[in-house]
Amino acid sequence: MTKPLIRIAAALAALTAAPAMARDGLADQIQGDLPGLMTIYRDLHQNPELSFQEVRSARIMADAARKAGFDVTEGVGKTGVVAVLRNGAGPTVLIRADMDGLPVVEQTGLAFASKARGTSTAGVESGIMHACGHDTHMTAWIEVARLMAAHKDRWQGTLVMIGQPAEEINQGALAMLKDGLFTRFPKPDHALAFHDTADLASGVIGVRPGFALANVDSVDVTVKGLGGHGAYPQTTRDPIVLASAIVMRLQTLVSRESSPFDPSVVTVGAFHGGAKHNIIPDEVKLQLTVRSYSDESRKLLLDGIKRIAMGEALASGMPQDRMPEVTVDPVPAKATWNTPAFTERMGTFFRARFGAARVADVPPAMAGEDFGEFARADGNRINSLIFWVGGRPAEVIESAKRDGKLLHGLHSPFWAPEADKVIASASEALTAAAMELMPRK
């Protein structure tokens, strides 16, 4: 084939690939809806609610879904929303959005910045902010519900859309499951969700097969000692020295006991002990975050923390009644697993629709998410995918790379994504994916 013919063939291929799939009009309809969607977004952003307190947010989502024609149930898993739209025989697809904000004082300078304050389930009073972008998630969810209801002629099956509470404390998904999510409502064949990200350019979709997010365990270690005068350490058993030895030895769990092909993290985030220069205290408290992917790796790390704490205490001559106490948070975030074949299928679909330049292969993250709990509830049946949607201007990312500048991201009081691009891309991706998974016959 000659070069001119090759160029013509390439141009024809480009015209018949992504643009052809986009001719269903969804993108144009979303653009037309954006002014109203941004009004919803700004309202949700300005009025965030903490975990298991998402009463107003849940009502906004429930009212929107009910108006679109869904059967809506509120109060599932305390404050969760379940909206079901049946449209003939076919697969069942679940689409999730999380609703809770974070105990963060907003510093974005936005005209609609949150000034809300509240008290968390832990009893801590603070400012509240959607510093993780859940306001974009909820707004896109509302648009997807409207689009799916308006275009029932393009798909058949059952759509289950859930507004999930308490993702930030890793309890909302389990609360909904325990409240009968998969017994009171149709159990899905496929589960979809998205999360905004500061690591990708605005509107770019990130996909990762396999492990996408990590197990997250919070561990408290109380290191006991025998206190006394700092001038006479020989009369004491110093818990600060012991705790320091434990901290240093913990690093070997990753560097010497974990496989380099199974990433893991053990971070000591807090070390509290003592009150005065010349007093050796009776105890020290350590707070750890432990990240892993596989269940085997998680067990190795948690068992290793207990073994090291005990071993160092014995080496320090600590009496048996003063052994360290290791407590693991009973509600961890379990690793989120994207079903590989299903994820590859959806990645190919997104590339065909949006073009290769707008779909990126992304590495797994050490952050946590409880979306994976839905697939864990019936992993042999449910195909699961959480994907990312970029929210940072491409030119800002490029400038930071060029200048070596660090940029704030999720959970920062300064995080303000390009919300219109996140919402538009996520709404189109979720709607198109749901229609692809529930084709009209």
Side-chain angles (χ1 to χ4, degrees):
M1 188 180 290
T2 64
K3 288 184 178 180
L5 288 177
I6 291 173
R7 284 195 292 268
I8 292 171
L12 288 173
L15 286 172
T16 57
M21 296 192 71
R23 288 177 192 152
D24 55 18
L26 287 178
D28 290 340
Q29 186 168 348
I30 292 167
Q31 287 300 314
D33 293 342
L34 262 181
L37 292 172
M38 290 304 293
T39 298
I40 295 171
Y41 163 75
R42 286 188 286 269
D43 178 47
L44 290 168
H45 184 90
Q46 199 165 25
N47 296 282
E49 296 165 298
L50 293 170
S51 302
F52 286 132
Q53 300 176 28
E54 311 93 337
V55 176
R56 183 178 185 274
S57 302
R59 185 174 65 249
I60 289 171
M61 296 174 72
D63 288 348
R66 194 175 285 114
K67 186 175 180 180
F70 285 72
D71 293 325
V72 178
T73 304
E74 299 176 66
V76 180
K78 296 186 180 179
T79 50
V81 176
V82 180
V84 179
L85 186 62
R86 292 176 171 85
N87 190 28
T92 297
V93 173
L94 178 149
I95 294 177
R96 183 215 72 167
D98 35 10
M99 304 185 295
D100 49 337
L102 284 162
V104 173
V105 177
E106 181 164 354
Q107 300 178 52
T108 61
L110 293 170
F112 51 92
S114 167
K115 296 181 176 60
R117 297 191 68 83
T119 302
S120 72
T121 53
V124 178
E125 196 272 339
S126 70
I128 313 173
M129 177 191 174
H130 271 302
C132 204
H134 294 185
D135 43 2
T136 65
H137 303 181
M138 290 185 282
T139 307
W141 187 96
I142 289 171
E143 178 68 348
V144 172
R146 291 171 173 173
L147 291 170
M148 293 297 289
H151 297 293
K152 292 174 69 175
D153 58 322
R154 300 187 189 180
W155 60 279
Q156 64 182 65
T158 299
L159 179 62
V160 179
M161 300 191 66
I162 63 175
Q164 182 205 308
E167 184 276 329
E168 295 293 357
I169 59 173
N170 303 312
Q171 296 182 29
L174 281 175
M176 295 191 80
L177 288 164
K178 289 177 180 177
D179 200 14
L181 179 64
F182 287 168
T183 55
R184 296 165 57 192
F185 308 97
K187 182 183 288 188
D189 301 293
H190 313 291
L192 298 170
F194 89 95
H195 204 296
D196 70 307
T197 176
D199 297 329
L200 293 173
S202 298
V204 172
I205 295 169
V207 180
R208 174 73 188 189
F211 286 117
L213 294 131
N215 295 312
V216 180
D217 285 282
S218 297
V219 181
D220 293 288
V221 182
T222 300
V223 182
K224 300 178 182 180
L226 298 171
H229 200 298
Y232 312 109
Q234 73 277 13
T235 66
T236 72
R237 290 290 183 267
D238 191 337
I240 288 188
V241 173
L242 171 54
S244 299
I246 291 171
V247 170
M248 296 306 295
R249 185 58 185 259
L250 287 175
Q251 309 313 306
T252 66
L253 284 172
V254 174
S255 66
R256 288 298 176 268
E257 297 191 38
S258 299
S259 168
F261 301 104
D262 191 1
S264 53
V265 172
V266 177
T267 294
V268 180
F271 189 125
H272 299 290
K276 197 174 186 295
H277 298 77
N278 63 347
I279 299 175
I280 293 173
D282 280 329
E283 69 177 30
V284 169
K285 291 186 179 292
L286 305 177
Q287 293 177 308
L288 287 64
T289 186
V290 182
R291 311 287 169 128
S292 58
Y293 289 122
S294 68
D295 291 343
E296 295 76 15
S297 177
R298 176 174 180 260
K299 185 176 187 305
L300 180 149
L301 296 174
L302 295 179
D303 288 351
I305 291 167
K306 296 174 184 177
R307 186 193 73 238
I308 286 171
M310 188 74 67
E312 291 292 342
L314 290 171
S316 297
M318 203 64 65
Q320 283 293 331
D321 63 347
R322 302 296 290 170
M323 287 293 108
E325 295 178 356
V326 179
T327 305
V328 180
D329 189 333
V331 190
K334 296 292 186 66
T336 299
W337 173 263
N338 282 339
T339 311
F342 177 62
T343 302
E344 295 286 2
R345 174 188 172 188
M346 289 292 96
T348 299
F349 173 76
F350 289 148
R351 288 182 181 88
R353 182 177 187 90
F354 296 101
R358 279 189 59 192
V359 182
D361 295 319
V362 296
M366 275 293 174
E369 241 281 7
D370 63 352
F371 175 68
E373 294 289 354
F374 299 116
R376 278 178 177 264
D378 194 348
N380 294 325
R381 168 186 171 136
I382 301 172
N383 291 310
S384 182
L385 168 63
I386 186 169
F387 60 91
W388 304 95
V389 177
R392 196 189 297 281
E395 60 273 17
V396 174
I397 294 175
E398 291 304 315
S399 175
K401 287 180 180 178
R402 187 173 56 251
D403 301 337
K405 180 182 177 183
L406 290 175
L407 297 171
H408 54 261
L410 303 184
H411 289 214
S412 161
F414 302 102
W415 174 237
E418 281 197 293
D420 56 340
K421 292 182 172 59
V422 173
I423 292 164
S425 294
S427 297
E428 184 179 355
L430 286 169
T431 304
M435 290 180 176
E436 169 73 6
L437 295 169
M438 297 187 287
R440 194 78 184 174
K441 297 178 180 178

mmCIF file of all heavy atoms in Angstrom, residues 14 42-43 48 65 94 99 115 132 137 157 224 245 255 262 266 310 349 396 425 437:
data_model
loop_
_atom_site.group_PDB
_atom_site.id
_atom_site.type_symbol
_atom_site.label_atom_id
_atom_site.label_comp_id
_atom_site.label_asym_id
_atom_site.label_seq_id
_atom_site.Cartn_x
_atom_site.Cartn_y
_atom_site.Cartn_z
ATOM 1 N N ALA A 14 -9.665 6.243 11.993
ATOM 2 C CA ALA A 14 -9.900 7.180 13.092
ATOM 3 C C ALA A 14 -11.350 7.647 13.117
ATOM 4 O O ALA A 14 -11.961 7.806 14.174
ATOM 5 C CB ALA A 14 -8.967 8.373 12.978
ATOM 6 N N ARG A 42 -21.895 22.123 43.071
ATOM 7 C CA ARG A 42 -21.515 23.202 43.994
ATOM 8 C C ARG A 42 -22.300 23.116 45.297
ATOM 9 O O ARG A 42 -21.765 23.379 46.383
ATOM 10 C CB ARG A 42 -21.711 24.563 43.317
ATOM 11 C CG ARG A 42 -20.642 24.872 42.261
ATOM 12 C CD ARG A 42 -20.753 26.297 41.761
ATOM 13 N NE ARG A 42 -21.902 26.475 40.880
ATOM 14 C CZ ARG A 42 -21.866 26.333 39.561
ATOM 15 N NH1 ARG A 42 -20.723 26.012 38.962
ATOM 16 N NH2 ARG A 42 -22.955 26.513 38.833
ATOM 17 N N ASP A 43 -23.564 22.714 45.211
ATOM 18 C CA ASP A 43 -24.373 22.559 46.415
ATOM 19 C C ASP A 43 -23.827 21.425 47.284
ATOM 20 O O ASP A 43 -23.670 21.575 48.507
ATOM 21 C CB ASP A 43 -25.822 22.276 46.026
ATOM 22 C CG ASP A 43 -26.717 22.045 47.227
ATOM 23 O OD1 ASP A 43 -26.651 22.845 48.176
ATOM 24 O OD2 ASP A 43 -27.461 21.049 47.234
ATOM 25 N N PRO A 48 -20.996 19.392 52.687
ATOM 26 C CA PRO A 48 -20.540 18.015 52.896
ATOM 27 C C PRO A 48 -21.012 17.468 54.243
ATOM 28 O O PRO A 48 -21.316 18.228 55.165
ATOM 29 C CB PRO A 48 -19.017 18.155 52.876
ATOM 30 C CG PRO A 48 -18.778 19.531 53.435
ATOM 31 C CD PRO A 48 -19.911 20.371 52.897
ATOM 32 N N ALA A 65 -33.075 10.156 41.622
ATOM 33 C CA ALA A 65 -33.332 8.839 41.047
ATOM 34 C C ALA A 65 -34.829 8.548 40.992
ATOM 35 O O ALA A 65 -35.338 7.992 40.009
ATOM 36 C CB ALA A 65 -32.609 7.768 41.863
ATOM 37 N N LEU A 94 -24.513 -2.996 38.762
ATOM 38 C CA LEU A 94 -24.501 -2.115 39.928
ATOM 39 C C LEU A 94 -23.542 -0.953 39.669
ATOM 40 O O LEU A 94 -22.427 -1.165 39.190
ATOM 41 C CB LEU A 94 -24.067 -2.894 41.169
ATOM 42 C CG LEU A 94 -23.949 -2.148 42.506
ATOM 43 C CD1 LEU A 94 -24.276 -3.082 43.662
ATOM 44 C CD2 LEU A 94 -22.553 -1.554 42.715
ATOM 45 N N MET A 99 -20.530 8.917 49.332
ATOM 46 C CA MET A 99 -21.171 10.195 49.653
ATOM 47 C C MET A 99 -20.469 11.022 50.720
ATOM 48 O O MET A 99 -20.732 12.225 50.828
ATOM 49 C CB MET A 99 -22.609 9.938 50.130
ATOM 50 C CG MET A 99 -23.493 9.167 49.166
ATOM 51 S SD MET A 99 -25.215 9.031 49.739
ATOM 52 C CE MET A 99 -25.034 8.019 51.227
ATOM 53 N N LYS A 115 -17.986 25.621 54.516
ATOM 54 C CA LYS A 115 -17.754 26.181 55.846
ATOM 55 C C LYS A 115 -18.404 25.301 56.907
ATOM 56 O O LYS A 115 -18.514 25.692 58.076
ATOM 57 C CB LYS A 115 -18.304 27.606 55.923
ATOM 58 C CG LYS A 115 -17.593 28.597 54.994
ATOM 59 C CD LYS A 115 -18.174 29.990 55.127
ATOM 60 C CE LYS A 115 -17.402 31.002 54.273
ATOM 61 N NZ LYS A 115 -17.431 30.667 52.831
ATOM 62 N N CYS A 132 -11.967 14.504 48.933
ATOM 63 C CA CYS A 132 -11.698 13.283 48.167
ATOM 64 C C CYS A 132 -12.542 13.212 46.909
ATOM 65 O O CYS A 132 -12.529 12.205 46.199
ATOM 66 C CB CYS A 132 -11.926 12.057 49.042
ATOM 67 S SG CYS A 132 -11.014 10.587 48.518
ATOM 68 N N HIS A 137 -18.480 12.403 42.418
ATOM 69 C CA HIS A 137 -19.016 11.056 42.268
ATOM 70 C C HIS A 137 -20.545 11.083 42.323
ATOM 71 O O HIS A 137 -21.224 10.463 41.496
ATOM 72 C CB HIS A 137 -18.494 10.136 43.369
ATOM 73 C CG HIS A 137 -17.003 10.050 43.451
ATOM 74 N ND1 HIS A 137 -16.351 9.251 44.380
ATOM 75 C CD2 HIS A 137 -16.014 10.654 42.734
ATOM 76 C CE1 HIS A 137 -15.043 9.366 44.223
ATOM 77 N NE2 HIS A 137 -14.821 10.228 43.240
ATOM 78 N N GLY A 157 -32.203 -5.065 30.948
ATOM 79 C CA GLY A 157 -31.649 -5.700 32.134
ATOM 80 C C GLY A 157 -32.101 -4.944 33.362
ATOM 81 O O GLY A 157 -33.131 -4.266 33.351
ATOM 82 N N LYS A 224 4.827 -1.213 77.024
ATOM 83 C CA LYS A 224 4.879 -0.989 78.471
ATOM 84 C C LYS A 224 6.317 -1.017 78.980
ATOM 85 O O LYS A 224 7.192 -1.622 78.375
ATOM 86 C CB LYS A 224 4.051 -2.048 79.181
ATOM 87 C CG LYS A 224 2.580 -2.039 78.774
ATOM 88 C CD LYS A 224 1.803 -3.126 79.466
ATOM 89 C CE LYS A 224 0.357 -3.134 79.004
ATOM 90 N NZ LYS A 224 -0.426 -4.199 79.680
ATOM 91 N N ALA A 245 13.347 0.500 69.320
ATOM 92 C CA ALA A 245 13.841 -0.744 68.734
ATOM 93 C C ALA A 245 12.752 -1.430 67.920
ATOM 94 O O ALA A 245 13.010 -1.982 66.839
ATOM 95 C CB ALA A 245 14.342 -1.665 69.846
ATOM 96 N N SER A 255 11.446 -5.084 54.125
ATOM 97 C CA SER A 255 12.731 -5.208 53.418
ATOM 98 C C SER A 255 13.301 -6.624 53.429
ATOM 99 O O SER A 255 14.087 -6.983 52.544
ATOM 100 C CB SER A 255 13.767 -4.255 54.031
ATOM 101 O OG SER A 255 14.090 -4.643 55.356
ATOM 102 N N ASP A 262 5.347 -8.532 45.897
ATOM 103 C CA ASP A 262 4.064 -8.359 46.592
ATOM 104 C C ASP A 262 4.194 -7.125 47.473
ATOM 105 O O ASP A 262 4.516 -7.214 48.654
ATOM 106 C CB ASP A 262 3.753 -9.598 47.434
ATOM 107 C CG ASP A 262 2.316 -9.600 47.956
ATOM 108 O OD1 ASP A 262 1.574 -8.651 47.647
ATOM 109 O OD2 ASP A 262 1.953 -10.550 48.671
ATOM 110 N N VAL A 266 4.710 -0.630 55.905
ATOM 111 C CA VAL A 266 4.470 -0.508 57.348
ATOM 112 C C VAL A 266 4.993 0.866 57.761
ATOM 113 O O VAL A 266 6.198 1.113 57.727
ATOM 114 C CB VAL A 266 5.178 -1.620 58.149
ATOM 115 C CG1 VAL A 266 4.958 -1.399 59.647
ATOM 116 C CG2 VAL A 266 4.686 -2.994 57.736
ATOM 117 N N MET A 310 6.755 -8.440 70.694
ATOM 118 C CA MET A 310 7.005 -9.369 71.794
ATOM 119 C C MET A 310 8.491 -9.702 71.902
ATOM 120 O O MET A 310 9.074 -9.716 73.000
ATOM 121 C CB MET A 310 6.198 -10.653 71.577
ATOM 122 C CG MET A 310 6.216 -11.615 72.752
ATOM 123 S SD MET A 310 5.188 -11.028 74.124
ATOM 124 C CE MET A 310 3.553 -11.124 73.402
ATOM 125 N N PHE A 349 -13.009 -1.216 25.649
ATOM 126 C CA PHE A 349 -14.222 -0.464 25.312
ATOM 127 C C PHE A 349 -13.999 1.035 25.469
ATOM 128 O O PHE A 349 -14.381 1.835 24.592
ATOM 129 C CB PHE A 349 -15.378 -0.936 26.189
ATOM 130 C CG PHE A 349 -16.629 -0.117 26.043
ATOM 131 C CD1 PHE A 349 -17.442 -0.260 24.931
ATOM 132 C CD2 PHE A 349 -16.989 0.808 27.010
ATOM 133 C CE1 PHE A 349 -18.600 0.499 24.783
ATOM 134 C CE2 PHE A 349 -18.144 1.571 26.883
ATOM 135 C CZ PHE A 349 -18.953 1.415 25.766
ATOM 136 N N VAL A 396 -0.928 21.902 34.221
ATOM 137 C CA VAL A 396 -0.422 21.981 35.594
ATOM 138 C C VAL A 396 0.472 20.784 35.887
ATOM 139 O O VAL A 396 1.535 20.917 36.509
ATOM 140 C CB VAL A 396 -1.598 22.057 36.592
ATOM 141 C CG1 VAL A 396 -1.084 21.978 38.027
ATOM 142 C CG2 VAL A 396 -2.391 23.338 36.386
ATOM 143 N N SER A 425 -16.796 13.247 31.985
ATOM 144 C CA SER A 425 -16.126 12.012 31.561
ATOM 145 C C SER A 425 -16.667 10.799 32.310
ATOM 146 O O SER A 425 -16.918 9.748 31.718
ATOM 147 C CB SER A 425 -14.619 12.125 31.783
ATOM 148 O OG SER A 425 -14.070 13.111 30.941
ATOM 149 N N LEU A 437 -22.819 -3.380 28.754
ATOM 150 C CA LEU A 437 -22.983 -4.613 29.523
ATOM 151 C C LEU A 437 -24.417 -5.142 29.512
ATOM 152 O O LEU A 437 -24.657 -6.294 29.860
ATOM 153 C CB LEU A 437 -22.544 -4.371 30.976
ATOM 154 C CG LEU A 437 -21.062 -4.052 31.163
ATOM 155 C CD1 LEU A 437 -20.784 -3.579 32.584
ATOM 156 C CD2 LEU A 437 -20.205 -5.268 30.818
#
